[in-house]
């Protein structure tokens, strides 16, 4: 279980961690910047598609480990009271953050599906869909950022 926790909860310790606290958030930020080119050119490169697949893998690894940990009774650190009403990070605990973490994870999977639809040109004309690609990847980056934030920081209802 400790290996799963280490894989699932890996965070960068760099000064730029406020922009991308996890490898997943960094990968989605790169995808966001990269998505501007297909939106402008009106075509998707093979390298963009490969990077999108890498983002899928970086999404599914924490999803799989998170489901296994949840089945074992684990919750996000911000939702666990280790004593004195504080989390392992020394912040007030907030039990509602566990459900919020699941919500953002579901949004990440849904966002990736929408990006796939836009890239493949299904359900919407291909060139028109690519114009929305930066918006979809911006949403994905925001969701990836919030997944890490929710796991660490308390929300508006700490200790309830």
């Amino acid at each position: 279980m400790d290996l799963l926790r280490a894989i699932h909860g890996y965070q960068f310790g760099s000064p730029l961690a406020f922009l991308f606290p996890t490898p997943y958030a960094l990968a989605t930020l790169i995808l966001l910047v990269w998505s501007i080119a297909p939106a402008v050119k009106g075509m998707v490169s093979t390298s963009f598609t490969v990077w999108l697949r890498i983002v899928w893998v970086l999404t599914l690894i924490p999803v799989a480990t998170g489901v296994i940990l949840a089945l074992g009774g684990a919750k996000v650190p911000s939702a666990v009271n280790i004593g004195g009403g504080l989390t392992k990070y020394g912040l007030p605990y907030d039990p509602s953050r566990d459900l919020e973490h699941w919500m953002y994870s579901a949004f990440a999977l849904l966002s990736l599906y929408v990006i796939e639809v836009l890239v493949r040109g299904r359900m919407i004309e291909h060139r028109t869909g690519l114009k929305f690609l930066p918006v979809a990847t911006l949403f994905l980056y925001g969701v990836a950022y919030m997944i890490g934030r929710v796991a660490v920081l308390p929300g508006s209802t700490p200790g309830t």
Side-chain angles (χ1 to χ4, degrees):
M1 286 299 243
D2 288 335
L3 177 63
L4 290 178
R5 278 188 186 89
I7 292 170
H8 184 78
Y10 182 78
Q11 296 177 351
F12 291 129
S14 73
L16 293 176
F18 70 93
L19 282 175
F20 42 87
T22 62
Y24 179 55
L26 175 60
T28 59
L29 180 61
I30 292 169
L31 190 69
L32 166 62
V33 172
W34 205 335
S35 70
I36 296 168
V40 172
K41 292 180 183 177
M43 59 184 279
V44 178
S45 66
T46 304
S47 55
F48 180 84
T49 306
V50 168
W51 189 255
L52 181 58
R53 298 299 172 262
I54 291 170
V55 171
W56 267 108
V57 169
L58 289 174
T59 302
L60 294 177
I61 289 171
V63 166
T65 57
V67 167
I68 294 167
L69 288 168
L71 290 173
K75 295 184 182 225
V76 297
S78 63
V80 177
N81 182 2
I82 63 165
L86 299 176
T87 68
K88 73 177 190 176
Y89 298 109
L91 300 168
Y93 85 103
D94 186 354
S96 67
R97 293 302 241 187
D98 197 52
L99 186 57
E100 205 172 335
H101 190 70
W102 282 97
M103 176 192 71
Y104 283 118
S105 300
F107 281 157
L109 292 171
L110 182 63
S111 299
L112 279 168
Y113 175 73
V114 168
I115 291 168
E116 285 289 339
V117 167
L118 295 174
V119 166
R120 296 285 168 228
R122 305 264 163 46
M123 294 193 266
I124 189 169
E125 196 273 319
H126 193 242
R127 285 187 175 271
T128 304
L130 289 179
K131 291 179 183 175
F132 294 106
L133 194 57
V135 175
T137 56
L138 175 63
F139 184 78
L140 177 62
Y141 168 67
V143 165
Y145 182 82
M146 287 302 294
I147 288 171
R149 185 179 185 281
V150 163
V152 175
L153 300 174
S156 60
T157 57
T160 60

